[in-house]
Amino acid sequence: MTGEPSVDQEDKKTLLSLGVAQQDCRRSGANGEMDFMSAWIVSPSVLPFLCLILGTHAQQAFRTEPRNLTVRMGATAVLRCEVLRASGTVQWVKDGLLLGPQRRLPGFERYSMIGNLKRGQHHLQIEKTLLEDEASYECQAGRSDSSQAIISSTAWIFMLIPPSQPYLMVDMATPWVAGSKYTVTCIAPDAKPMADITLYKDGVELTGAQSFTMSGSKDKLLNTHAEVTVTAVSSDNGRQLACHAQNPALFRPVETTMTMKVHYPPQPPVILGLEREEVKEGRTLVLECVSHGGNPLATLQWTKNEEVLSTTWEEDIVARKSSSILFMRIHPTDNQAVLCCESVNMVSSSPLSVSRKITVLFEPAEVTLLGSFTAIEGQDINMGCYATSSNPPVQIRWWLGYKELNTSGEAMEEGDNGGMTAMSNMTHRVSREDDGLKLTCEAFNKGTHFSKTQFDILNVYYPPQNVWLDTPPPDVPLRSGTTVRLVCFSTGGNPTATLTWFKNGRAVHDALRQTSFERGVARELILVLTPSDNMATFRCDATNKAKKTISAQTKLKVHFLAVSMKISTKQEVQRQGQMLTLECQSGSSNPQPSIRWSLDTVRLQGVEQPPKRAHFGGVSVQSSLSLNLSSLHHNKRVICQAYTPELAEGANTFFKLNVHYPPEFSPKQPAQIQVLEDDMAVIPLLLSANPEEVSCIWLHRRETLVKEGSLHFHWSDDNSLEIKNVTRKHAGVYTVKCTNEEGVNQASIMLDVLYAPSVKAEKDPVLVNLGETADLICVADANPIISGMFTWKWLGEGEVEMGLENQQDESGLLTIHDVTRTHAGLYQCSANNDIAPPATVEVQLVVQFKPNLQKGAQWTKVASRGDGTTTAEVVCQAEGIPRVDFTWEKKGVRMDFANPRYEERTVREGSFHTSTVRVVNVSTNLDYAVFSCTARNSLGEDTLHIQLVSTNHPDPPSSFGQVDVSHDSVTLDWIPSFNGGLRQRFRVRYRWDQSDSFLYVDVFPPGATTFTVTGLQPVTTYNFSVNALNAMGESAYADNNAVLTITTKERPEGVPTDDDSVSQSASGLPAYLTVVFTVVFGVLLVFNSVGCFFGLRWKRRRGQTGGRGGSVLDGKKNKEEGGSHSTVSTANKYESREKINTAAQRSLLIDSGSETDSHVYESYAAGSSHYYYPSGDYMPPLNPHPEETRRHDVTRLPVDPHSHLYEDVRDRGLYQDILASTLPSPPSLFDHRLPNQRNESRSKAYPQAAERARDVRQPPRDSHLPFEQRGELV
C-alpha cells in the first residue's frame, strides 16, 4: 500500500522553514519550466487558493513527543505521541524502520498504536517487552495537502533484564575433607545491568570474594562471576552454601544454594553385652560394637583370633554413630578366644579397635561305649566308656537297668580346646534275664552341672522251637504262569529264626522278606509257575545265632505250553517261483499239543509227525509245510503254533521269507510332479527289490543324466532325482531304469515346471485415430495359464473410462471404443497366475488428431519497436499427432525464409510443436502486419493470425475475482493481458463507504497475478479494482472498469482490537489565525518570486557555459534505471488492441533501455516526417484516474488527459521510487496554460531533442532503397 515516506532531519528543517509556494517556485526554476515573468503572472491567481487552504488546514504539530523509557523485561512499554491538527499519516519508526500506519501493526504482534484518534493520540504500546525492543523510536506525521511532514525527537527504550538463575561452580564430585581449602565460584548469567553477587556460608556472609563480568548469551547481556576460598571444618557438614544475585530488574535477590559435604574420622569403638569372661557352651552371645562420629560414618568389622567374623554394620544418621551387632553361638573351640572390633572410614589414618578374651565351660562332645553287647547265654562281656575333652573334666558311672555296676578302673588325659578326657572299664556275665536291659555309661560335669550318658541294649541268644508249611495240595494240577503262595512258619528262639526256601536243594533268593508275628516268624515264597516247577521239591529251613536248624518240604504238579518252537528249511536261497519246504518242531509241553500253520492271516495246512518224550516231564511234536514263492511273499512271516486244548492256547514262532526278485515299482509311484521355477524338484522313486542293491539311471529327452559335475541334477541313495534351481527347460518326461542281480525294470514320470509370468506388449506404441477403436494386447509367458490373470491399469493423471478387458489364452486384451484424447497415455498390463511376482508391461496409446493451435490474447499479439534495431519473435504452438508441419504467411503472402531478415525454427516436445519466426531489424513499414500461422498434419489443419505491433501501454487484466476473504484481508487474482511489449506490473485500488478516497497497493512481486490486501476492518464492504502498468503508461481497470465488491468477515474470538477506532478528521483553524497565516504566506510568496527570478538567470548563464551536459547525464541515468526492461516479448501473451494510440496523434516507439546504444526513436503518422527523442529525457504520461478530477468540493480545471494524479502521493521523489524512475512528475495543480502552451513548455524542456530532430530531417529518406542497403538500419 502506498504510504508516506520517512524524512531525514535536514529535510525536516527545510520543510518547516519554507512554505508550499516557495517549494513550487524552486521546483519550477530547477526544471526550467517557469521563467521570471510567468512566476509573477501566476502568483496573484494562486494566492487566494493558498489562503483558502491554509485557512481550513494548518500545519500539524506535536503536542506530546515520546521520551526515553526504562522498562523491566516482560512489562508493557508505552511511548506517547499526540499530534495537533493531524492531517498526514502517522506512524512510528524503530531504528529507521517504518512500522506502518495501522493501529495493530502487521508483522509486530506485540506492537500497537493506542489512544484517542480524535485527540490525535498515536501512543506506541509494546506488550511483553523483550531485549530486542531496546532501540530508538520516532513518531512521524507524513506530508498532507495542507501540512508538511513532521518527526518527533528520538526516544530510547532501555531494558532492565534480571539475571537468570545463578549457579555455583564448585568441585562437589567428591566431598570435602576437613582442614582442606576449596574455591567456590558463583555465576549470575544474562543480566542487564550486571548483577551483584553475595556469598553466604550457613547464613554468614563470606568476605574476600572477588567479582568480574563476562559477555552473556546475547548482545548487551552480562555474566557476573564471584570467587571465594573456603577452609572446610567438620561442623560445615550438612550446612548451606548460598549465592545471592541482585540487579535493578529484581525486587528481591534470586538465590541458589548447595549443601556442603565434609569428611572427618570417627571416635574409637566400644563393645557392649559381655559382662564376664566365663561363658557356657551353646549360649548365644549378642555383642554390640559402637563407634560415634565420623563422616562418612565408620565401617565396622569383628574378628576372632584375627579372623574376620562379620563386616556388616548399621548407620544411625541422626545419632551420628555406626553399630555392628555380633550374634555368636559359643562352641568349645571358642575357649580362650580373643574377640576384636575395628572402626575406620575413608579419612582415618589407621583403624581404631577394642578386644575381649572369653573362657568356655563345655561338656564332652561324645561319650562312647566300647565292647560287644551281644552274647550267648552264660558268656562274660568286657565293656569300656570314653568321654571326650570337657572343661572341667567329668566323673564316669555304670548302670544295667536300674542297677549300678562296679568299675574296674578309670584314667584322664589332656584333650582338645584346653579340656580333659576320661576313660572307665567294666566286666559282667550275662543270663537269659539280662536280654533287653539297658547298659548305661554316665559322664557328670561339675562346672556345667549337667550329665551326658551313652547306653545300649544287651542281647542274649538262644535257639528256635518249631517250623511248618502252608502250600497247595501236591496232587492238584496248576497251570503254568499261575501265581502260588508257599508260606513257612517258625516259633521260639532269640533271636527269632531266619527262614530260607530251597528248590530241588538250591536256595531260592527271590522269596519275600521274613515277617514276624506274636509267636514267631514267617516267610512267603510267591511263585509264577514255569515248566521247571513241575514235580520239583520245595523245602524251608529255620535257624538263628544259636546255631541249630529245623526244616519242612512239599511238591507241585504244573501244566505248561511248549517251552520252545523252531522252523527250519534246507533251501539257502529263496527265489520268486520256487517251492519252499519248512519244518516246525515244538519243545517239551504238558500235556501234548497240536501244530497249526498260517501266513499273515491265512491258515495253511501242514503234515504232523508222531510225538516224543521231553524234559520237565513233557512231550515234543513236529510238522512240515510246502509254499510256492512270489515277490509278494518277501519279508512276510510264516507262523507255526503248538496249540494245547487243556490250556486253550499255544506257543508260536515265525519264519521270515527272504524272496529274491528283480526291481518292481510301487503302485503309489507318482506319474507327474509339479514344482515352482527356481525351487528344487524332487522326483521320488518308490521301488522295491531283493537284493536291495539296485543301480538306476535317469534319462531326460533320451539323454542319460550324469550326476558328476552337474549343477542341477543329483540323486540320493534311494535313487530319487533332485533337480536344483529348476528352470522351465527342465520340464518334460523323465525315465528311470533300475537293475539288480535278479533283473531290470523302468518307469516314466512327467515334470511340470510352474513359473511366474513374464509379459510383453504385442505392439507398442499403439496408434489410433481420434474416435476409432484401440486394441491394446499384451502376451504372457507363464505356467500355468489361468483365467482372469490379466488386469489393465491407467497410469496417467486423473481418471479415464477403461475399455473392455478380455483374455485369449496367453494374451490379455484391452479394447477402447470411441477413443478420445483423454485416453492417450501409458497403460499398464499386469499378469498374475498366483505365482509371485506378477509381471507388468507398459503400453503407450497414441491418439492421433489434427493440429490444435494455442489461441487467446497471449498468442495473437507481439510487440516490438520498429526502429530497425530490434528483433521480434512470433511464436505459434500447436498440439497434434502425428507430426505437425507449419507454414507462415505475412499479409496473406507466404513467407520466404530465404530472406535473411526472417528465420524460422520448429521445436517438438511430445505432441506439442512450436514454430518461432524471428524477425531481425523490425521495421514499422515492413513488419507491422498480420502473420498467419498454419499447422497441418495428415488429419487436418488449423490457422492462427498474429499481429506484430508497436510497444505500447498494457491492456487491462481480465477475469478479476476473489480467492479468499477473512476478517482483515482479501485475496484477489486476475489474468494478465497484453503487456504492450514491455515488462508490466499491477496495482490494486480499493475503498470503503467511509473513506475519503481510494487507496492503492502495488502488487509484489511485480509479475504476480494473485495478491492479498491486508489491514482491513472486519464486517466492512470494500470495492476493489486492478489495472496494469508498464513504462509507457497504464491500462484501464480490469473487466471494463468493473468493481469487485467484497465484505470482510467478522473478527474471530480472541483476536485483539484497537482501544479506539474513529475516522481521522482534520481540525480547522480559528478565523484570526487564518488571516495571520494569509498575510505571512503573501510575504513569503513575494520573496520566493524574487528568488526564482535570480535563480533562473543564474541557471541560464550556467547552461550557456555547461552545454548539454545535464541532458546527457539525465539520459544515462534513465538508461541505467530502465535497463531491466525487455524490448521484445518471448511469448505472445497479449489481447487484441489497436496498434496506435489515437489520443496521442502519433505513434511513439518507446525504448525501455535494454539497448545501451539506442537514444533515437522513430514515429510515424499519416504524411508526417520522422521525429526523434532521446530515451533518457522521454517520460510518457499516464492516463488520469476518473475519480480524481474532483475532490473536497474544489473545482479542477481541465488537465492533460495523459497526466496521472495520485491523491495520497504528491511528492515527485516518492512517485519516482514507486514507478522505478520511469514516470514523469505530475503537472502543477493550477496550470492554466493552454495545450499549445504546454507543448511549448515541453519543447523548452527538451532543447537537445528539438535540435536533434532538425539535424535528422536533413538527409534524404532511403525507404526506396532495398532493405539490405539501408546502412542506418542494418
Side-chain angles (χ1 to χ4, degrees), residues 1230-1274:
F1230 303 102
D1231 190 352
H1232 302 288
R1233 292 176 292 170
L1234 297 177
N1236 58 349
Q1237 292 175 331
R1238 288 194 296 272
N1239 292 338
E1240 291 173 2
S1241 175
R1242 178 178 297 175
S1243 66
K1244 292 179 182 180
Y1246 303 99
Q1248 296 85 353
E1251 180 181 353
R1252 202 171 189 180
R1254 290 193 297 270
D1255 296 339
V1256 172
R1257 285 197 296 269
Q1258 292 177 0
R1261 296 182 60 184
D1262 55 359
S1263 59
H1264 62 281
L1265 296 176
F1267 182 85
E1268 293 78 1
Q1269 298 179 14
R1270 299 181 191 177
E1272 182 179 353
L1273 293 178
V1274 179

Side-chain angles (χ1 to χ4, degrees), residues 642-654:
Y643 183 75
T644 304
E646 291 82 0
L647 300 178
E649 63 177 329
N652 299 330
T653 189
F654 68 89

Side-chain angles (χ1 to χ4, degrees), residues 375-543:
I376 298 174
E377 184 179 9
Q379 290 182 347
D380 290 336
I381 58 173
N382 296 311
M383 306 297 297
C385 182
Y386 175 77
T388 59
S389 180
S390 64
N391 184 28
V394 297
Q395 179 183 357
I396 297 178
R397 300 170 67 185
W398 288 91
W399 302 85
L400 179 60
Y402 296 100
K403 177 182 178 182
E404 184 175 1
L405 303 179
N406 295 323
T407 61
S408 58
E410 291 185 359
M412 292 185 181
E413 294 180 357
E414 290 184 2
D416 297 334
N417 304 317
M420 299 293 289
T421 63
M423 182 68 182
S424 175
N425 295 321
M426 184 273 299
T427 300
H428 176 68
R429 177 169 290 182
V430 298
S431 63
R432 180 174 295 188
E433 290 76 14
D434 294 337
D435 184 53
L437 296 180
K438 286 184 179 180
L439 182 60
T440 305
C441 171
E442 178 188 9
F444 177 72
N445 190 308
K446 296 180 180 180
T448 62
H449 302 288
F450 284 97
S451 297
K452 192 175 186 67
T453 62
Q454 182 68 34
F455 70 91
D456 209 337
I457 303 299
L458 192 60
N459 194 6
V460 180
Y461 296 149
Y462 50 91
Q465 297 178 353
N466 193 17
V467 63
W468 71 94
L469 299 178
D470 182 8
T471 63
D475 55 347
V476 176
L478 301 175
R479 182 169 178 165
S480 177
T482 303
T483 302
V484 296
R485 298 175 179 271
L486 307 179
V487 183
C488 177
F489 297 94
S490 174
T491 58
N494 184 37
T496 57
T498 299
L499 303 178
T500 305
W501 280 98
F502 294 88
K503 176 183 177 182
N504 293 330
R506 295 183 179 180
V508 179
H509 300 290
D510 54 355
L512 295 182
R513 180 175 297 181
Q514 179 173 303
T515 61
S516 300
F517 60 97
E518 183 180 358
R519 295 175 56 191
V521 294
R523 188 169 189 185
E524 184 177 13
L525 175 61
I526 299 177
L527 295 175
V528 177
L529 296 177
T530 65
S532 64
D533 295 329
N534 186 34
M535 304 310 293
T537 299
F538 291 90
R539 186 182 81 243
C540 176
D541 291 348
T543 184

Side-chain angles (χ1 to χ4, degrees), residues 341-354:
C341 177
E342 295 181 352
S343 66
V344 69
N345 71 358
M346 63 177 60
V347 294
S348 298
S349 59
S350 62
L352 303 175
S353 63
V354 60

